[in-house]
Every structure is written in C-alpha cells, then in structure tokens.
Amino acid sequence: MPGTLPRFPSMPRGMTMPSLPRGINPPSLPSMPRGISMPSLPRIPSLPRMPSFPSLPRMPSFPSLPRMPSLPSMPRVVAVSASVSQTPRRLFQDVCSVIDHQTPAGLCGCCWALRPRYKRLVDNIFPEDPEDGLVKANMEKLTFFALSAPEKLDRIAAYLSERLTRELNRHRYGYVCIAMEAMEQLLLACHCQSINLLVESFLGTLRLLLENERQHLHLLATNAFVKFANIEEDTPSYHRSYDFFVSRFSEMCHTEHHDKDLQDKIRVSGIRGLQGVVRKTVDDELQVNIWEQRHMEQIVPALLVNLQQDTHCSSGSPAEQTEVCFRELLGRAAYGHINNAIKPVLMHLDSHSLWEGRSFAVRCFQIIMYSIQSQHSHLVIQQLLGHLDAHSRSPASVRAGIVEVLSEAAVIEATGSVGPTVLEVFNTLLRQLRQSVDYQLTGYLDPPGRQRTSSLEEKTLQDAVIKTIGSFANTLPVYQRSEVMLFIMGKIPVPGIYPALGSPNTGFEGIRMIQVMLLKSLLQVSSRYESTNLLTALPCSFLQPLLCFTLMEDPEIRLLVLCILTSLLDRHHNAERLRASVTMEVCVLELKEERCSRQDNLFIRKHAQRLYRHVFLTCKEESSGRSHYQALFTLLAVVSVELANEEVTLDLIRLTLALQELALSNQESLSVYNRCGVHALCAAFLHLLSHLGPPPPFTLLVSQVIEGRQSSAPHLLPEDVFSDSPSLPEGELQVDEASLFVQSKISEALTGSSYSAHSERLNTPYTPQITAEEERLSRRKSLVDVASLQMDPPFCCEAPQRPQTEQITFETLKNAIEDSGGAEEEERRRKMKERFQTAPFEEIAAHCGARSSQLQSRLDQVFSLIVRPPPSPSGFSPPRSTPLHEMKFPDLCVY
C-alpha cells in the first residue's frame, strides 16, 4: 500500500540475526523535522522467497569474551534537509544511484552499503556533475586502498573499465574522462611489481577509445598511452600485444582534416603514440619485436609523411615531433635492425618519386647517419649501393639523386672506414660510371630502345658519381686511399694493354670517355691525398701507367694526368698560390718549404728521369693549349719546392734548356703558338727557380733575359701567350740570341756557389731516354691506331714469290750481335771508352738504350727468318700472323 516501506525477504530457517556486542546500541535514524511528513514511495514488488537451506550443525560453544567497556554515546546529529520543492529531485537521484551503483544520498543507502568496498571507493570518485571533475579526496582513498591491497588491483581496473565502457555507450564523455584520469593516477601510483594487474584492463580501455570515431577521445587515449610508456617496468609481461596500437597510431599520422590545427594535433598525437610504442617495446625482449618488417613498413612511412610536410619546422609541428621520434627510433636500432629500418625509407622515396628532388632524400639520410651508432654507418652505405644497382636502368635523375645521397652520407660517416668491403663501394660506383657512358652514347637505357635518356642528364649523373668517389675517399685512412687509387688505375683502359674495353655499342669513343671519367675520379681521390712518403704514394705500379697517359693525343686526358701528378706531389698545398708569370713576387707567395727527406731523395733518384722525360714529350704535343702549359709550370714548380736539392735544381735547369731547344727546332711540327708557349713556360719556371735557392748572379741573368723579352719579344712571355687574346708573330717564329737562356752563361752565373761542384752535370745537354713503348705511344695519332697495332696485317694478293731459303747459321747470329766495321769500328769503340770515363750517367744510359734498341731490331730480323710457315706446294705463301715473340698477352694469361 502507498506510504509503507518495502518488505524485505525473511531470513532462512536456522539462521539468526547476529546480535550486537553488549554495550553498543544500534544507530538511531534521525527524526524528520516537524511539519514534514515522509513521502510515499512507489510500491516495489516483493522479491521471491528464498529457498530453505538445511540447518547447519550446531557449532561448539566458545568461552565468552571479556566484556568490552561501554563507549560513550555519540551526540545525536540533527540533519537539515532540503526544502520541500527539492524532494522529488532527490528521490530521483537516489533511484538512479541504486541502478547505476553510485553513492546514494537518501534512504536507499542500505543496498549500496552491501556492495564490495573497492566498488564503493570507485563510485565515490565520480561527482554528481561531471564538470566538477574527479573527486580528489575520494581518489586518494581509492589509491590508498589499492596500495594497501594490491591483490585487488585487477578488480579495481576491471570495474573502472566497466564504468568507462558504460559511460561511453551512453555518450557521457565527461565521466569517460574522469574514469581515464583515475586509471592514469592508479598506474602512476602503483609499484612496478603490481602494475601488470592494471595493464590489461588499461590497454583494453585505450583500444576502446581509439576505436571510437570521436577525435578528442583519440587524443585522450594517446596521452594516457604516452604516460604509460614512460613508466619503467621491472617485471616481465608475456601476454601484451601492441600490434593494434602500431597500426592505429600510424593511421593517425596520415589523418586528413579540413581544420589544419586539429589535423596537426591528431598527427602529433599519433607520432607521440608511435614513440611510446618504441620506448615500451624496443628494450623488452618479451614484447612484440617492433623491428619486424611488417611493423617498420607502418611506422617509417607514417613518420616520413609528416617529415615531408613542413620544410621549416616550427615548435610543436608534426615535422619537429617526427624528427625527434625518428632519431630516437634509429638511435635504438641494433646491428641486425638497421636493414629493416632503412628499407622502408628507400621504398617510400621510390613510391613518391622523391629521389629527383634530392633535398628531402638528403635530409632523411642526414638524420639517419647522425642518429644511428657510428659503427653501423657502413650498413646504410651498403643499402644505398644495393639500391643504386637495383635502379641501374632507371632515369638518370633518379640515379643521380641516389648518388648524391651517397655522397652526403659518406661525408657524415667520419669514422675512417666505410665497412669491410671498401673496394666494393668503389667498384659499384665505377660500374655505374661505365653504364652511364654507354647510355650517353647510345641514348637508350635498355637494349630494345624503349626508355630514352639525354646526354645532359647522364653528364649530371657522371659528375655526381665522380663527386661521390671523392667523398668516399676522403673518409678513408691514407693507406686505403693508395689502394683505391691503384684500384681505379687498374680499371682505366690503358692503350696497348686493354684496347678492347668498353661496350661494343660505344666503340673507341666510349673507351675515351671512360678514360676521362676514371681519371677525373682519380683526381678527386688524389686532390686531398696527403702522404709523407712519396715512395708509397707513387709506386711504380701506379706511376708508370699514369705517365703513359701523358702521351695520349686527347688533350683532356693529358691535362688530367698533369693535375693528378701535381696533387700527389704537392703535400704543402703550394699549387694554389702558383701561376705562370714572370712579374709575380715569389716572396709574397709564402711558399711552404721543408728539407727533402731521405725517402723523397730516393723517390726523385728513382723516378726523376722518367718524370722529366714525360714532361719533355708532353711539350711536343701539338694539341696542347694554355691550360696544359700552365699545368706543366705548376708541376715543375711543385717539384722544385717539394723535392729541392742541388742535383734536382740542375736537372730542372737542363730540362728547361732542352725544352727551349725543342721550341727552336725545325724538326718538330709545332705551331707558332706551341713554340711561344714552350718559351713562356721556360721563362716563368726559371723566374721562379731563381728565387728558390740559386745564387744572385743566376737571378740577375734570368731577369736580364726577361727584360729583353719584354722590350723586343713579349710574345715569349706568359703574360702575353697565356692571355685570352695572345699577340703571335706572323710567319715563322724568329728568336734573337739575347732573348734566349744560354747554357754557358748559366754555368758562369753558378760558378763559385755550391752548384759549381756539379758543373759537369750542367754542361751535359739533357737527352731524354725514350723507350720503345713510349716512342710508339708518342707517335700514334688515335686510339684506332693503337688498336690496329694488335690486329693482323691484311692479306695482299700479290704475285707468287719463292719462299725464302736463307740458311740460319752460327755466323748469321754472330753478325747480328756483333757489328764488325774495321778501323772505323775500332775508332768508335775507343771514343766510347773515353766517353764512359768522362760522360755523365744519363748520357751513358741513353747510349746503352740506343744500343739495346739496335740489338733488338737485329734479333727481330733473325726471328723473322726462324719463325715462318713452311713453304706451300703451290708456291703461294699464306698471310703470316704476328710472331709469338711480338704478341702482347694480357697479364692473366701469363704464368
């Protein structure tokens, strides 16, 4: 009936209500104020009768406890209720609190009091109005209870998760935020040993929030996950999974929204979430392996997309947060994880065509090289080299972008080595250079000719490859640089040794271009090569083939070789201050000179004549221009500064006088400009040499000759010849005696000084000792002629001749070796004996070389009689191939 209290079910039989201890009275309910009656409650249907249970056996009686002292009675508190108008509202709140398990404020508290304590503590943290926020006092009670009873943490977390799910389903997002805040505080307050009891429910709650469509819930969940990721755990966990968070946070990094500010917030939140996943999993072997390819393919592109957005990183922007996260990710990568982290970067740059822009690709790999551990840098280089090989038929702009990234990575990688396979790096780059030359000459990237390329693009790629070779070489120690130079020299097609190198589609032009490109690469390596011992820097296996290129017809090749020699000899960087001039003040140049060491003396004694000989032969080339003569001057000046001693100085003077005689000779087919250039070279070098050590009379003599040329023959000085518009004389070049450097006057000027002890050396004219191979190379006109030397002579259809029937006897061999000439021969031998006693060593060596050449020619005549095919019965002699003793075999075929 209305107005009556609800009936509660009676106690089962056999069970009695526990009595209160003696001295304690049951609490009395406060009486209603006068004038206010109890409102009638709606009738609640009675609960079904509980089934009767069998009576329990009577428990044995225990001795009664001593009587407790009576507690003083508490003063009766009279509660002041609300006004009558608020009664229906309060009743509704009490009913809702019973249903939602919230703290009741009225008469229904008896149901709420029977609930577990942890649920009551959880319910107490939720205020009536969600805008009031978390009830801090009740949250402290819940935290204290959780720390006091850690075995109930899993129940507390599960109940909090249940409350949050219910509020989320009812779209009461204020209570969702309160529940999330409570879980965060419990996580931060719990000890590491008991945190695993909370984590499962916590991660499930975050997963629920991230699956919701509302953006602010995503931000809320991400912030909570970041706080959880910063907690260091000591106990292992075997049942966690972060796969969902990796995919969800990566998806947030790709968010597109019309509101730019909200988009940036979501992307930054996703990046911070990925950073939290990395921190939580990278050091825990029991967690998911974040370095697996499937995870890296999600994380790395998500970061690169945001790194690509902003070129100028502002504070708090996605690009700035991405760079921080990317650096942290790479900094934690171990040796076996580098490849999995770099491969998605390469794939992203390929799919978005970012190699051509180059700036973003360079920036990415700068971050990578600065972030990873230094001992792992060579792995990045190897990945880039493999990627370059995979794109060997891609457009030149793509290959040039990869090569430029390689160059920048090599500059950053400053540990002194690019890994165990140093030569493999240069082999890959040289292979790309050779392929680019083929593509440039054919115009196609593939044999069918479907993909076209331009010469300009390939030229850009070649320059990038050459720059990269130099960048790599600069990171190597000195001993490895010398190995690299020998390796590059072995790849250059040398005339007469590797005449058929190159693609069959490119021909001899391809060989010439490959020679130029490889020599440019060698120049890049040698430009910063600093060695204290020239014997190790320029061994015979390197110097001899290099000097052979000074005899090439191509002027570009000769110029490159001169620059390479200068850079290797110039250990004090004096070449930058030198220029071919007769008016420069040598004292102003501040040239750095050091005393010639023992190793340098050994080097110059061993290789000086060969070096002087090739300088002499280079001046005989008709295609030499201003740059060649300036390079020759710089080379001679560097030799005089770096390797200066009295013998070297006198040899250089002798070489200069020989070059002057070469310019005056009518036997050489040199143009007027070439002759004037050689005279200007001699004047500029003697002007410099006179200020480096010889006595003042020598300096005065050189100055007088130069002054005479300035007044009567300015076209013999470098200021006029090496200018943009030289004034050359018309017709044949006529030079007066006063404008020449005379050997007798120079000897007289050096008399009385320390150089006079070597006067005999100076009085002997310089005669270059030219070998047969050098003479052959100096006379050839093109690479076609070089290759034709290795071909068989054509078959000539001439009249049949009788086969040779000359008999080879002992007298024939003796006459071939000995040349009997009677009295004239005796006189010649007598003079030769006197010359051997007085002549300098160079002249004796030159004469012996001529004798050996004469002996070889006569032996060739004998061998031509011995090695011949048998006579044909028909009388015709088939075309004879090259004799075996004249064939040139590759080094790999000789045992």
Side-chain angles (χ1 to χ4, degrees):
M1 58 180 299
T4 61
L5 294 175
R7 175 177 295 179
F8 292 94
S10 61
M11 296 293 295
R13 287 183 181 179
M15 297 184 63
T16 60
M17 197 72 172
S19 61
L20 295 174
R22 184 176 297 177
I24 299 179
N25 299 323
S28 59
L29 297 175
S31 59
M32 299 294 293
R34 185 174 296 174
I36 300 177
S37 60
M38 178 67 71
S40 59
L41 296 176
R43 186 171 185 178
I44 300 176
S46 61
L47 297 175
R49 169 169 288 183
M50 299 292 294
S52 61
F53 295 93
S55 61
L56 297 174
R58 180 174 295 179
M59 299 297 293
S61 61
F62 294 95
S64 60
L65 296 173
R67 180 175 295 177
M68 298 294 293
S70 60
L71 297 174
S73 60
M74 299 295 293
R76 182 173 296 180
V77 180
V78 179
V80 180
S81 62
S83 60
V84 181
S85 60
Q86 296 179 351
T87 301
R89 179 175 178 272
R90 183 170 181 177
L91 178 61
F92 179 75
Q93 290 179 356
D94 290 340
V95 174
C96 292
S97 66
V98 173
I99 300 174
D100 293 342
H101 306 288
Q102 293 184 3
T103 304
L107 195 58
C108 296
C110 53
C111 293
W112 177 81
L114 297 177
R115 307 188 67 220
R117 185 180 179 187
Y118 73 89
K119 289 189 177 182
R120 286 179 284 160
L121 291 175
V122 170
D123 292 336
N124 285 337
I125 67 175
F126 292 93
E128 295 182 1
D129 189 0
E131 296 181 357
D132 295 340
L134 185 68
V135 180
K136 296 183 179 179
N138 295 334
M139 186 64 209
E140 293 177 359
K141 295 179 182 180
L142 177 62
T143 305
F144 179 76
F145 176 77
L147 295 178
S148 302
E151 68 276 2
K152 298 208 178 160
L153 273 174
D154 54 344
R155 301 181 187 180
I156 295 174
Y159 184 60
L160 266 175
S161 179
E162 178 186 349
R163 285 295 306 268
L164 187 144
T165 304
R166 185 163 54 249
E167 303 297 350
L168 184 62
N169 293 333
R170 295 178 181 180
H171 305 287
R172 298 163 69 172
Y173 302 112
Y175 290 118
V176 172
C177 297
I178 293 174
M180 201 70 248
E181 184 181 355
M183 296 189 77
E184 293 175 9
Q185 293 190 16
L186 286 176
L187 275 173
L188 297 175
C190 291
H191 299 290
C192 297
Q193 292 80 4
S194 57
I195 196 174
N196 283 333
L197 300 174
L198 282 171
V199 171
E200 190 65 26
S201 299
F202 177 75
L203 295 179
T205 303
L206 295 183
R207 189 180 297 108
L208 187 65
L209 294 178
L210 291 173
E211 289 175 351
N212 196 279
E213 60 182 7
R214 292 190 172 269
Q215 308 289 350
H216 69 279
L217 295 181
H218 298 169
L219 302 179
L220 177 66
T222 306
N223 293 333
F225 184 85
V226 171
K227 294 179 182 178
F228 163 69
N230 293 330
I231 300 175
E232 296 183 1
E233 301 182 52
D234 296 335
T235 56
S237 177
Y238 301 92
H239 57 277
R240 296 184 195 172
S241 176
Y242 295 96
D243 295 353
F244 170 79
F245 295 99
V246 171
S247 59
R248 192 67 185 90
F249 289 146
S250 300
E251 183 181 349
M252 291 173 62
C253 294
H254 294 275
T255 301
E256 297 289 342
H257 199 275
H258 59 85
D259 188 355
K260 187 67 168 58
D261 295 336
L262 180 59
Q263 174 183 312
D264 291 346
K265 289 181 180 179
I266 297 173
R267 291 194 173 192
V268 170
S269 181
I271 296 167
R272 294 178 64 239
L274 290 176
Q275 189 176 9
V277 173
V278 172
R279 290 179 180 176
K280 206 63 180 175
T281 60
V282 71
D283 295 328
D284 193 350
E285 297 180 356
L286 299 176
Q287 301 298 336
V288 61
N289 187 6
I290 200 66
W291 300 107
E292 291 182 358
Q293 194 66 32
R294 58 190 181 94
H295 294 311
M296 287 290 103
E297 289 178 356
Q298 293 179 347
I299 295 175
V300 174
L303 297 177
L304 295 180
V305 165
N306 291 278
L307 189 64
Q308 184 184 352
Q309 293 297 322
D310 301 328
T311 55
H312 303 286
C313 298
S314 58
S315 178
S317 63
E320 180 188 18
Q321 191 66 33
T322 297
E323 185 172 347
V324 174
C325 180
F326 198 32
R327 289 182 183 275
E328 182 176 354
L329 174 68
L330 296 169
R332 295 173 178 265
Y335 180 84
H337 303 148
I338 295 294
N339 292 339
N340 288 342
I342 300 302
K343 186 176 180 181
V345 178
L346 302 176
M347 295 173 59
H348 181 82
L349 297 176
D350 288 340
S351 58
H352 293 271
S353 302
L354 297 176
W355 292 112
E356 299 179 5
R358 301 181 190 177
S359 59
F360 177 71
V362 170
R363 182 187 175 194
C364 284
F365 278 90
Q366 284 177 345
I367 295 174
I368 292 172
M369 297 300 294
Y370 280 121
S371 301
I372 62 175
Q373 303 177 31
S374 58
Q375 64 268 25
H376 301 158
S377 299
H378 66 277
L379 296 176
V380 181
I381 304 298
Q382 290 179 359
Q383 284 275 352
L384 286 171
L385 290 172
H387 200 66
L388 180 61
D389 283 340
H391 285 268
S392 59
R393 296 192 181 277
S394 298
S397 57
V398 175
R399 287 177 283 141
I402 301 175
V403 170
E404 184 172 349
V405 171
L406 267 171
S407 177
E408 295 295 332
V411 172
I412 297 172
E413 201 275 327
T415 59
S417 175
V418 291
T421 56
V422 178
L423 296 181
E424 184 63 28
V425 174
F426 292 93
N427 189 29
T428 302
L429 293 174
L430 295 179
R431 184 168 59 249
Q432 291 294 326
L433 201 60
R434 187 181 299 272
Q435 289 178 356
S436 178
V437 170
D438 294 341
Y439 296 157
Q440 180 180 358
L441 294 177
T442 58
Y444 297 100
L445 298 175
D446 52 347
R450 298 174 183 175
Q451 299 180 358
R452 297 185 61 86
T453 184
S454 64
S455 178
L456 181 61
E457 293 178 350
E458 296 297 336
K459 186 67 171 60
T460 305
L461 171 64
Q462 293 162 11
D463 295 339
V465 172
I466 294 172
K467 176 184 175 183
T468 304
I469 291 175
S471 300
F472 271 114
N474 294 334
T475 63
L476 299 176
V478 176
Y479 73 94
Q480 283 188 337
R481 292 192 199 182
S482 59
E483 293 179 0
V484 170
M485 290 192 296
L486 286 173
F487 180 76
I488 297 176
M489 178 59 67
K491 294 290 184 178
I492 303 177
V494 180
I497 301 179
Y498 305 110
L501 280 178
S503 173
N505 298 328
T506 58
F508 295 104
E509 178 63 20
I511 298 177
R512 190 199 69 83
M513 292 182 63
I514 291 173
Q515 288 176 336
V516 171
M517 296 303 165
L518 295 183
L519 286 174
K520 286 183 178 180
S521 304
L522 192 59
L523 179 60
Q524 284 286 332
V525 177
S526 63
S527 59
R528 297 185 182 181
Y529 182 77
E530 298 179 1
S531 176
T532 57
N533 190 353
L534 291 178
L535 285 174
T536 59
L538 291 170
C540 293
S541 58
F542 176 79
L543 185 61
Q544 183 173 358
L546 181 64
L547 290 175
C548 289
F549 287 100
T550 59
L551 307 178
M552 297 290 293
E553 183 187 14
D554 194 306
E556 186 177 4
I557 293 178
R558 295 201 309 272
L559 181 61
L560 288 172
V561 173
L562 293 175
C563 294
I564 292 171
L565 287 172
T566 303
S567 62
L568 291 174
L569 295 174
D570 184 24
R571 293 170 294 180
H572 297 88
H573 307 287
N574 292 319
E576 300 176 356
R577 307 181 182 91
L578 297 171
R579 58 185 179 87
S581 174
V582 295
T583 60
M584 63 179 177
E585 296 292 336
V586 180
C587 59
V588 181
L589 297 179
E590 298 180 357
L591 299 177
K592 298 180 182 179
E593 300 181 60
E594 287 186 4
R595 182 178 179 84
C596 193
S597 63
R598 179 175 177 273
Q599 292 82 1
D600 294 343
N601 287 329
L602 292 176
F603 170 80
I604 199 64
R605 288 176 183 176
K606 184 177 181 180
H607 301 290
Q609 298 303 321
R610 179 181 298 170
L611 181 63
Y612 300 156
R613 182 168 65 250
H614 282 270
V615 170
F616 182 84
L617 295 176
T618 303
C619 292
K620 295 174 64 175
E621 296 291 339
E622 303 175 12
S623 58
S624 298
R626 178 177 62 178
S627 56
H628 294 82
Y629 294 118
Q630 290 178 344
L632 285 170
F633 166 78
T634 306
L635 176 61
L636 294 175
V638 167
V639 171
S640 63
V641 173
E642 294 286 343
L643 306 171
N645 57 45
E646 295 178 355
E647 294 182 2
V648 172
T649 302
L650 293 178
D651 287 341
L652 290 174
I653 294 175
R654 293 173 57 217
L655 175 63
T656 306
L657 296 177
L659 293 177
Q660 181 178 257
E661 292 297 327
L662 175 67
L664 295 173
S665 175
N666 294 325
Q667 298 179 0
E668 303 294 337
S669 58
L670 295 176
S671 63
V672 175
Y673 179 82
N674 294 134
R675 298 178 186 274
C676 293
V678 174
H679 281 294
L681 170 64
C682 297
F685 177 66
L686 289 178
H687 170 71
L688 174 66
L689 191 63
S690 63
H691 291 80
L692 295 180
F698 178 76
T699 305
L700 180 61
L701 174 64
V702 173
S703 300
Q704 291 176 354
V705 175
I706 291 176
E707 290 175 359
R709 291 188 180 185
Q710 289 176 345
S711 59
S712 60
H715 54 275
L716 301 181
L717 296 177
E719 282 75 13
D720 183 85
V721 179
F722 300 153
S723 62
D724 296 332
S725 56
S727 56
L728 301 177
E730 298 180 358
E732 294 293 334
L733 179 63
Q734 302 294 332
V735 182
D736 298 335
E737 184 72 19
S739 300
L740 297 176
F741 298 98
V742 183
Q743 183 265 337
S744 59
K745 294 182 179 180
I746 294 177
S747 299
E748 183 180 353
L750 295 177
T751 303
S753 63
S754 59
Y755 295 91
S756 59
H758 308 279
S759 58
E760 295 181 358
R761 189 185 192 94
L762 180 61
N763 294 331
T764 303
Y766 174 77
T767 54
Q769 181 184 354
I770 303 176
T771 63
E773 181 70 15
E774 292 170 349
E775 184 177 4
R776 184 180 65 85
L777 289 176
S778 62
R779 290 180 179 179
R780 59 99 191 88
K781 295 301 180 181
S782 66
L783 286 172
V784 180
D785 298 334
V786 175
S788 64
L789 294 176
Q790 307 298 324
M791 300 172 62
D792 296 337
F795 176 75
C796 300
C797 298
E798 299 178 353
Q801 298 179 357
R802 297 182 60 85
Q804 299 178 3
T805 58
E806 182 180 352
Q807 298 295 326
I808 305 301
T809 61
F810 174 75
E811 293 296 329
T812 306
L813 296 176
K814 182 179 180 180
N815 294 333
I817 298 176
E818 296 183 359
D819 186 9
S820 58
E824 296 180 359
E825 180 63 22
E826 292 295 332
E827 181 66 20
R828 188 183 65 82
R829 290 183 179 181
R830 185 183 63 80
K831 292 182 179 180
M832 180 59 62
K833 185 176 181 181
E834 295 177 357
R835 182 178 299 178
F836 268 88
Q837 296 176 354
T838 59
F841 174 76
E842 288 78 8
E843 185 176 353
I844 297 173
H847 178 75
C848 292
R851 291 276 298 173
S852 62
S853 300
Q854 185 179 5
L855 174 61
Q856 183 65 36
S857 63
R858 293 180 179 179
L859 289 176
D860 290 342
Q861 295 177 1
V862 174
F863 289 147
S864 64
L865 298 177
I866 297 175
V867 184
R868 62 173 181 258
S872 174
S874 59
F876 289 92
S877 297
R880 183 165 50 89
S881 61
T882 304
L884 291 177
H885 67 276
E886 295 182 3
M887 291 184 179
K888 291 185 178 297
F889 297 95
D891 295 339
L892 295 178
C893 297
V894 180
Y895 295 93

